[in-house]
Amino acid sequence: MASSWSCLHFLDLARLEQGGVVKAVLDLCGLLAEHGHDVTLATCDAADVPAGWKTGGNRTPKVITIEKSGWSNRLGSVVLSRRGLRAFEDAAAAASVVHLHTPWLLANYQVAPRLRRAGKPYVVSPHGMLDDWSVRQRYAKKLVFLHAAGRRLFRHAAVVHCTAEGEREQAARWAPLGDRGVVQCLPLDSESSVPPPGPGPALKAFPQIDPERPKVLFLSRLHPKKGVEFLIDACALLRDEGAPVQLLIAGPGESAYVQELQQRAVDRGIADLAHFLGMVRGLEKLSLIELADAFALPTYQENFGLAITEVMAAGTPVVTTRGVDIWREIEQGGAAIADQSARSFADHLKPFITSDEEARSRGEQGRRFVEQWLDPTSVAAGYASLYRVAIERGVSRRA
């Protein structure tokens, strides 16, 4: 049955530092289209869009590429050219509602006033960028920007979409949400539907891994906000306490920072136990998740934590921090919530690496929880409801 509404999503897919956001938006557009909704994705760079979407496959989003201005590189954010703005306005005119992503994309401040003048309601998703930790990075610049233009973007939104209650609480401190802040979880990572490949692909790709020794997996971009230092120190503590564990660190990062982490492992005496695997994708990634006895993310800030839900769906127990916006939700599913310290992470990881029964039990609890919480049909229905609310509210007339 055809959808009663149509939605235009806008995001610059070329912003590599927002890889998690890009993946989330692609998964969301794909899920909604699979459930029969009319979805269009507008972007300035369609390189990462699935090939089937570009050929107009059945139940796939439509994709339009819009032109950005030459000022984009100078300003460090996408700005649409005149031709790009006309293309966006044409696409928006055909949609019931427009979904804008992230608060710092300059092009959003070009299109939002045009949407308002055209009487077109829009939704804004901060994607964790209004979390307290995020705003305090380059705090003065962001505060000026919010006061000058950012608050207006949110004030005139029909709905401000937050992925968790933890995000809504923090975003409300920096932007005027009022009753327009709506919580709706993101869909489960599309790769989670792939059948488990077993440990073989990971062990073949990374022969340095000892299949007999317990393994803790870190799977994310290597960045100071992720707190990998705590994890290295925690594994050193476990080694000192007679529970040597392999630390599998999978993810890309700037070479200077990766070298700092490698030196830290040397200084803590666990260089032989800490394996830096680089970027891992596809079957090797799924195999690593399955191979691990526990997954750890000692992050200062994370929005929805797509890797966390993917790991839980695979039945691997999770240890993370309250820096993840969904910590309340995943704690209900058996995830262990640690303080941001080496001692706390060591204590929470120890049961999973010393007891196969505990790891299996907690992992199974997480798998069942995620299957219910992130059921695709329920998530798609949640977004359909969110867009209907936005359409009914229409364009905000707030000053």
Side-chain angles (χ1 to χ4, degrees):
M1 186 172 68
S3 175
S4 60
W5 50 265
S6 58
C7 183
L8 172 68
H9 287 258
F10 176 51
L11 179 69
D12 175 26
L13 300 184
R15 300 183 73 187
L16 298 180
E17 72 274 16
Q18 293 180 11
V21 176
V22 169
K23 186 72 168 65
V25 173
L26 291 176
D27 283 346
L28 174 56
C29 290
L31 175 72
L32 293 174
E34 287 170 11
H35 281 76
H37 298 299
D38 185 355
V39 180
T40 299
L41 173 64
T43 180
C44 299
D45 186 336
D48 291 332
V49 170
W53 297 10
K54 300 174 186 177
T55 57
N58 186 36
R59 292 211 168 197
T60 62
K62 295 183 286 291
V63 180
I64 61 171
T65 303
I66 52 182
E67 183 180 272
K68 61 183 177 181
S69 165
W71 284 94
S72 297
N73 291 336
R74 301 179 197 177
L75 296 173
S77 181
V78 163
V79 177
L80 299 184
S81 67
R82 290 182 180 178
R83 185 183 303 173
L85 283 170
R86 287 195 296 271
F88 180 90
E89 289 173 333
D90 290 343
S96 308
V97 61
V98 176
H99 195 150
L100 306 176
H101 296 274
T102 79
W104 311 125
L105 187 67
L106 291 180
N108 283 340
Y109 297 89
Q110 291 178 284
V111 302
R114 288 170 167 81
L115 293 172
R116 188 183 179 206
R117 288 196 294 270
K120 190 70 61 178
Y122 67 84
V123 175
V124 180
S125 293
H127 290 287
M129 296 180 194
L130 291 182
D131 286 1
D132 295 338
W133 186 93
S134 297
V135 174
R136 287 180 180 128
Q137 313 309 305
R138 301 180 180 176
Y139 175 72
K141 180 179 179 181
K142 288 180 178 177
L143 201 60
V144 168
F145 190 83
L146 282 171
H147 280 289
R151 293 180 188 275
R152 191 177 304 116
L153 175 72
F154 290 98
R155 186 178 297 114
H156 295 307
V159 168
V160 178
H161 162 236
C162 299
T163 62
E165 186 59 39
E167 179 183 17
R168 179 164 64 177
E169 290 174 357
Q170 295 176 81
R173 290 195 275 271
W174 305 104
L177 303 192
D179 62 352
R180 292 166 299 114
V182 174
V183 173
Q184 174 57 51
C185 60
L186 292 174
L188 189 61
D189 191 307
S190 57
E191 291 185 359
S192 299
S193 61
V194 177
L203 292 174
K204 182 178 179 181
F206 308 108
Q208 64 269 46
I209 298 175
D210 181 351
E212 303 301 322
R213 178 167 285 177
K215 291 163 281 293
V216 170
L217 174 65
F218 171 91
L219 177 64
S220 188
R221 179 170 57 104
L222 295 180
H223 185 278
K225 85 166 186 173
K226 305 288 185 174
V228 186
E229 293 86 352
F230 294 116
L231 200 48
I232 292 172
D233 293 354
C235 289
L237 288 173
L238 289 169
R239 185 274 320 275
D240 294 343
E241 294 165 3
V245 59
Q246 292 177 96
L247 177 56
L248 311 180
I249 301 174
E254 293 186 3
S255 58
Y257 181 60
V258 174
Q259 289 172 12
E260 286 181 20
L261 294 175
Q262 290 171 331
Q263 185 59 50
R264 192 180 191 95
V266 171
D267 295 342
R268 300 298 186 269
I270 61 165
D272 59 328
L273 299 175
H275 305 304
F276 290 79
L277 308 179
M279 185 69 178
V280 184
R281 295 188 176 94
L283 286 180
E284 286 79 13
K285 183 182 79 169
L286 299 177
S287 180
L288 269 179
I289 292 171
E290 193 176 0
L291 185 64
D293 296 277
F295 170 85
L297 182 63
T299 186
Y300 287 95
Q301 185 276 331
E302 198 81 18
N303 179 218
F304 196 72
L306 292 173
I308 291 175
T309 56
E310 183 180 12
V311 166
M312 292 179 73
T316 300
V318 166
V319 182
T320 189
T321 71
R322 288 177 178 80
V324 179
D325 288 341
I326 58 171
W327 72 268
R328 292 187 183 93
E329 289 85 348
I330 61 174
E331 189 175 37
Q332 298 175 38
I337 308 301
D339 295 331
Q340 203 155 34
S341 71
R343 180 71 270 165
S344 185
F345 263 81
D347 290 344
H348 282 84
L349 285 168
K350 197 167 189 176
F352 301 137
I353 65 172
T354 57
S355 170
D356 290 342
E357 182 179 350
E358 179 68 16
R360 280 195 299 268
S361 173
R362 196 73 71 91
E364 179 61 19
Q365 180 184 354
R367 185 189 63 76
R368 292 195 305 268
F369 172 78
V370 166
E371 285 181 354
Q372 181 178 5
W373 178 39
L374 302 183
D375 170 69
T377 300
S378 297
V379 173
Y383 279 94
S385 176
L386 182 153
Y387 292 139
R388 290 191 189 102
V389 167
I391 293 165
E392 289 170 5
R393 287 179 175 171
V395 176
S396 169
R397 298 302 176 188
R398 293 173 177 84

